[in-house]
Amino acid sequence: MGAKPPLSPLAPTGFPDLPEIAGVSFATTAAGVRYKDRTDVMLAHLAPGTAVAGVFTRSATRSAAVLDCQDKIGGAPEGGAAILVNSGNANAFTGRRGADSVSAVTRAVAETLGIPAARVFSSSTGVIGEPLPHDRITACLDDLKASLSPHAIETAAHAIMTTDTFPKGSGTTITVDEQTVHIAGIAKGSGMIAPDMATMLVYIFTDAAIEQDILQDMVSALNRTTFNCITVDSDTSTSDTLLVAATGASGIRVTETNVGFMEGLRRVMLDLAHQVVRDGEGATKFVEVSVTGGASDAEAHIHAKSIANSPLIKTAVAGEDPNWGRVVMAVGKSGARADRDRLSIWFGDLEVAREGFVSPDYDEAKAAAYMKNQDIVIHVDLGLGGGTARVWTCDLTHGYIDINADYRS
């Protein structure tokens, strides 16, 4: 993808004004990993004592960087830490060479910043199956160190983009024990989005002081209802990585009992997840799929993902066609429990089907008018129990084909 894709019609008006996080600084450069003169490397330098938690793709073909990060998560937060991300090359399906590249990059970052190599976390995103030209990255490390700034999070968000049409950022300021705590994060993702225990690439930072095991439990729990509830195309990446770093620079201690902090972190994670969907490759519609009445939450989630991933539903949404029969199809094929004669369906507030048959109040013209909205809600009640789920997706247009048909050219 040498040419820059057009801005998504679902894009926000601009990059948000994020709170500065004490204890973290950023730098970016154009290393020429794949394209000349494109900003493609991001370095985040973290203060000594920073706790780092993460969740990662469960793909059986996950990248060398993911495997390295998984080995390092949970280590003692001694000394400084760093996150190094490159775009343009995923360093996945590269065998021993991939692991050697990760080792070369992380060792060089450690030496440049004077931190333990076990505290350097790396990520790579882009084309699969091509060796990473890591020497281009290591050659830039002195310049990256010299340009580190606590104000450069927006440029960091740009550096990690691939087919993204806009940089993704989110942040919040919350009160903990009458003191202020900040959270800010960035993400990349546009296609190959159907996370499995993690997401795309996401980096979130807070100045709160949190023990690593507590932070890990928070991130794992919140991930289940945020990033693991989005899908663009049903494809799980080899490189999905979510890292959350708590620098402790505020001196304000947060534990698992702090509901306010958990809610603030949840909002940031969900906002970033939604932005990824709004930047889905070729997307013109943002779709929420809400399922109630499931035999369990887990089964409701299966139904919701079946609806959200259906190419027939996604193309109907693109064509603004209120074809509720395709929803019936997606529920029936999901593999979770369903009863045809208890199934009811709504598009927004419009009931289109009730307990196994078309609703007596169904109005095709009103339903067609509703489908012209940019934001669409499909609600299904299964009538079986108390299980609920919400999943977010986008429509499927020819733009998705255009982007992915020549991704490597």
Side-chain angles (χ1 to χ4, degrees), residues 39-391:
T39 303
D40 56 5
V41 174
M42 179 276 281
L43 174 66
H45 187 199
L46 302 160
T50 297
V52 181
V55 288
F56 307 90
T57 180
R58 293 194 298 190
S59 167
T61 55
R62 53 195 181 276
S63 73
V66 169
L67 293 170
D68 184 64
C69 282
Q70 286 180 304
D71 286 342
K72 292 174 177 176
I73 287 294
E78 298 172 356
I83 299 170
L84 190 286
V85 185
N86 76 267
S87 60
N89 183 307
N91 193 22
F93 205 66
T94 48
R96 182 69 249 175
R97 295 178 66 174
D100 290 344
S101 290
V102 171
S103 180
V105 168
T106 55
R107 286 201 314 267
V109 170
E111 182 177 346
T112 301
L113 297 180
I115 62 177
R119 296 273 285 158
V120 180
F121 303 88
S122 71
S123 301
S124 297
T125 180
V127 172
I128 293 170
E130 295 183 4
L132 178 68
H134 60 261
D135 55 316
R136 300 179 190 176
I137 298 172
T138 57
C140 298
L141 290 178
D142 287 337
D143 289 341
L144 284 167
K145 178 183 177 181
S147 61
L148 284 164
S149 167
H151 312 297
I153 192 169
E154 181 175 355
T155 57
H158 278 276
I160 64 177
M161 293 166 53
T162 52
T163 59
D164 305 60
T165 72
F166 62 87
K168 299 162 185 66
S170 182
T172 190
T173 299
I174 59 177
T175 300
V176 176
D177 296 331
E178 300 182 348
Q179 301 179 84
T180 301
V181 168
H182 306 92
I183 304 173
I186 58 175
K188 69 82 55 180
S190 186
M192 203 183 293
I193 304 298
D196 183 11
M197 289 305 294
T199 184
M200 304 60 63
L201 297 183
V202 182
Y203 309 97
I204 300 174
F205 309 90
T206 177
D207 53 13
I210 312 174
E211 296 295 329
Q212 195 280 334
D213 57 341
I214 294 173
L215 183 62
Q216 184 65 57
D217 287 345
M218 289 180 176
V219 173
S220 296
L222 293 173
N223 182 64
R224 287 194 289 270
T225 57
T226 56
F227 292 114
N228 266 14
C229 288
I230 64 171
T231 177
V232 168
D233 49 21
S234 82
D235 286 334
T236 297
S237 171
T238 59
S239 307
D240 288 350
T241 297
L242 163 60
L243 295 176
V244 180
T247 69
S250 68
I252 302 168
R253 188 154 298 280
V254 169
T255 69
E256 63 270 28
T257 62
N258 193 284
V259 177
F261 180 84
M262 281 281 285
E263 175 57 22
L265 181 57
R266 186 196 70 82
R267 288 198 306 268
V268 170
M269 291 173 68
L270 187 60
D271 184 20
L272 290 172
H274 283 184
Q275 288 186 53
V276 169
V277 173
R278 290 185 180 278
D279 203 15
E281 290 170 343
T284 66
K285 308 277 190 181
F286 178 82
V287 184
E288 176 179 299
V289 179
S290 171
V291 175
T292 56
S296 66
D297 288 348
E299 293 204 14
H301 184 78
I302 292 171
H303 283 298
K305 289 294 289 286
S306 180
I307 295 166
N309 281 326
S310 166
L312 289 178
I313 291 174
K314 291 160 72 71
T315 50
V317 172
E320 301 178 341
D321 177 13
N323 191 340
W324 53 269
R326 293 181 173 180
V327 179
V328 175
M329 173 278 300
V331 169
K333 75 166 186 174
S334 77
R337 281 173 285 183
D339 184 332
R340 178 198 63 196
D341 296 332
R342 297 186 183 186
L343 183 65
S344 300
I345 303 168
W346 290 260
F347 290 164
D349 293 331
L350 302 173
E351 184 184 61
V352 299
R354 181 188 301 173
E355 297 180 346
F357 196 63
V358 62
S359 170
D361 301 323
Y362 179 63
D363 186 320
E364 177 81 10
K366 288 182 179 179
Y370 175 76
M371 298 301 289
K372 294 186 179 298
N373 293 323
Q374 277 196 335
D375 287 17
I376 303 293
V377 176
I378 298 173
H379 176 209
V380 170
D381 187 83
L382 298 162
L384 298 177
T388 64
R390 280 199 298 173
V391 168

Side-chain angles (χ1 to χ4, degrees), residues 3-60:
K4 183 179 179 180
L7 182 68
S8 167
L10 306 175
T13 56
F15 195 80
D17 184 14
L18 300 182
E20 185 177 310
I21 308 298
V24 59
S25 54
F26 304 90
T28 62
T29 192
V33 172
R34 184 169 183 83
Y35 302 109
K36 187 177 180 180
D37 300 324
R38 177 182 292 187
T39 303
D40 56 5
V41 174
M42 179 276 281
L43 174 66
H45 187 199
L46 302 160
T50 297
V52 181
V55 288
F56 307 90
T57 180
R58 293 194 298 190
S59 167

